[in-house]
Amino acid sequence: MTGSWNGAGLPPVAAARVAEVRASGTWSSALSTGEFAAIRSVGFEPVGQVMGSAVYHVGRSGRYWGYYDCLYPGAGRVGRWSSPAGVALSGNGAPSAGLVQVLDAARRAALGRMTAECAALGGDGVVAAQLRMAPFPAAPNCLEFKVIGTAVRAAGPVRPRWPFTCHLDGQGFAKLVAAGWVPVDLLVAMSIGVRHDDYTTRRQSNSWSNTEVDGWTALVHHVRADARVQLRRQAGLRGGDGLILADSGLEVWEEPCIHSSQNNEQQDHVVESTLLATTIARFATAPAAPRTLTVLPLDGSGDRLRRRLAQAARR
């Protein structure tokens, strides 16, 4: 049996695991030998494997609850006189925005708990973080969000105000730091768009000739563009200078239009775009020390070389 938990801070099981690791003086990680060596080469040491999870019930998930509302006033009309359908986009406040918000809250909860574990272990950040979402067994309307990575700590005295998180593996993290950059935060951006299959879309998708389905092209374009906008907005809030994309996903499926009648059931198409990235920031570095000449010739060419070096030093 474990103690009660109100959802704030570390779960009791995680707190007990952190206490055990700190008391034992040993650490665990999912790093390979190469990753371990790469991290140490830039002055970091692993302090332990960390994780965070959250199980969320996603309500209003049925057809008639309106998350996938196309907002098309011409639904139910079958003639060519029906007006072109637009894209109901979550980023513009469409009903699907509510679903994006709850999924974003679940991811943030899992990431926050992993970061809290890192801080409890005395880590400065998490590398090689992997974020997963999966249905929760025996609960059809519940999803589990899980993120796991390795907490690391810098050898120097400077500590960040809050641990960083990133998807980069050990070698990628080492290359980033060696180039004068540091990870800031692991970000997930999502956009959902719904578009009614209007008369033109149905005609083009059932054509006997090769032709572009303009409505579906517009749907995919708008959703991908909105996901990028959301990602850049998050990066700006975290104070990053740039983004390193980790993964991008696109799902497309059909939903019965909630505005069509039973005698004239029509379809909507739903597109969901998800982007996973790490925002990074540049840190100040000392100027490189001047390179010294390894071999100095002693003949006449050496005199000319010494004069050129002296002139360069006076500039």
Side-chain angles (χ1 to χ4, degrees):
M1 296 291 292
T2 59
S4 60
W5 180 53
N6 62 3
L10 285 177
V13 174
R17 184 173 64 251
V18 168
E20 181 182 357
V21 170
R22 301 195 71 166
S24 67
T26 60
W27 49 265
S28 62
S29 81
L31 299 176
S32 66
T33 304
E35 289 179 294
F36 174 68
I39 287 174
R40 294 201 68 198
S41 71
V42 290
F44 282 80
E45 296 278 353
V47 295
Q49 194 172 40
V50 290
M51 67 169 294
S53 63
V55 177
Y56 265 60
H57 174 262
V58 182
R60 297 177 55 193
S61 58
R63 169 185 172 186
Y64 296 103
W65 288 102
Y67 275 146
Y68 301 128
D69 189 343
C70 66
L71 301 178
Y72 180 53
R77 301 178 184 177
V78 296
R80 66 181 64 192
W81 56 83
S82 59
S83 59
V87 177
L89 204 59
S90 59
N92 292 338
S96 56
L99 181 58
V100 171
Q101 289 170 2
V102 70
L103 296 179
D104 183 60
R107 292 188 184 97
R108 289 179 184 274
L111 284 166
R113 287 163 189 164
M114 181 188 70
T115 308
E117 277 198 27
C118 173
L121 287 173
D124 293 327
V126 180
V127 301
Q130 298 181 8
L131 181 64
R132 297 287 184 268
M133 179 183 74
F136 192 68
N141 290 339
C142 288
L143 295 170
E144 181 190 15
F145 297 81
K146 179 177 68 175
V147 59
I148 186 169
T150 297
V152 297
R153 180 180 173 87
V158 180
R159 306 266 80 86
R161 287 180 295 178
W162 187 248
F164 63 81
T165 55
C166 71
H167 73 276
L168 300 169
D169 61 12
Q171 289 91 338
F173 172 76
K175 291 177 181 178
L176 187 73
V177 173
W181 296 80
V182 290
V184 178
D185 210 354
L186 183 65
L187 305 178
V188 182
M190 172 183 280
S191 177
I192 297 176
V194 186
R195 187 184 185 277
H196 185 74
D197 289 352
D198 56 21
Y199 171 79
T200 302
T201 300
R202 294 193 298 271
R203 178 177 58 82
Q204 291 176 338
S205 62
N206 291 293
S207 173
W208 288 95
S209 60
N210 298 328
T211 184
E212 181 178 11
V213 184
D214 298 328
W216 292 349
T217 298
L219 173 60
V220 170
H221 172 78
H222 279 84
V223 174
R224 281 184 169 141
D226 183 54
R228 290 194 294 269
V229 168
Q230 304 306 322
L231 189 63
R232 288 196 299 270
R233 184 175 300 165
Q234 290 186 37
L237 293 174
R238 302 301 195 280
D241 297 318
L243 287 163
I244 299 177
L245 189 65
D247 191 19
S248 63
L250 190 76
E251 295 187 32
V252 183
W253 69 93
E254 282 186 345
E255 289 280 344
C257 179
I258 65 175
H259 298 290
S260 62
S261 63
Q262 293 182 351
N263 296 328
N264 181 29
E265 187 163 303
Q266 297 178 9
Q267 299 294 319
D268 296 336
H269 267 78
V270 183
V271 172
E272 178 183 293
S273 176
T274 305
L275 299 177
L276 179 68
T278 295
T279 180
I280 61 175
R282 187 186 296 275
F283 65 88
T285 57
R291 300 179 63 182
T292 58
L293 187 64
T294 306
V295 178
L296 184 64
L298 300 178
D299 56 8
S301 61
D303 295 334
R304 291 193 299 272
L305 181 58
R306 279 189 288 270
R307 287 195 297 271
R308 291 172 59 187
L309 291 174
Q311 291 173 358
R314 289 194 295 269
R315 291 176 183 173

